[in-house]
Amino acid sequence: MPLIPVTCVTVACDVCPQKYEPDDYSVHFDDDVEAREIVRSCGWLITTEGRVICDADDAGHRQAVDDLLPALPMPGQLALGESRPDAGR
């Protein structure tokens, strides 16, 4: 029987070394589209840049998610979609 190399996709968190292994077995996906759909459905986050963040709830993972959020407005600065109270007078 010949050995045939096969390419597959696995998923691991960019914050910690956690691999996507439900029920303690390695999952091998056919392509990245399938991998993204499955891990997102299990609560993992995949950013538009391709970073993967697992569903662990600790300071490192919370910080990684917080880093994705827009910055808070500076004092006196309007938030997105907000208008000045005196606008339109």
Side-chain angles (χ1 to χ4, degrees):
M1 171 169 35
L3 297 176
I4 302 169
V6 177
T7 302
C8 66
V9 176
T10 60
V11 181
C13 181
D14 284 316
V15 178
C16 70
Q18 176 69 32
K19 295 178 184 173
Y20 178 74
E21 297 180 334
D23 301 324
D24 296 326
Y25 68 92
S26 291
V27 179
H28 297 256
F29 302 101
D30 291 331
D31 56 40
D32 63 331
V33 173
E34 179 187 27
R36 290 169 200 247
E37 288 174 4
I38 298 295
V39 300
R40 280 186 181 137
S41 71
C42 294
W44 286 39
L45 175 68
I46 301 178
T47 69
T48 56
E49 296 84 23
R51 290 194 62 205
V52 178
I53 303 172
C54 73
D55 59 354
D57 186 23
D58 60 35
H61 289 82
R62 284 191 296 274
Q63 184 63 52
V65 172
D66 286 349
D67 290 345
L68 298 172
L69 300 174
L72 295 174
M74 299 291 288
Q77 181 182 13
L78 297 176
L80 290 176
E82 185 179 10
S83 61
R84 295 187 186 277
D86 58 353
R89 288 189 202 195

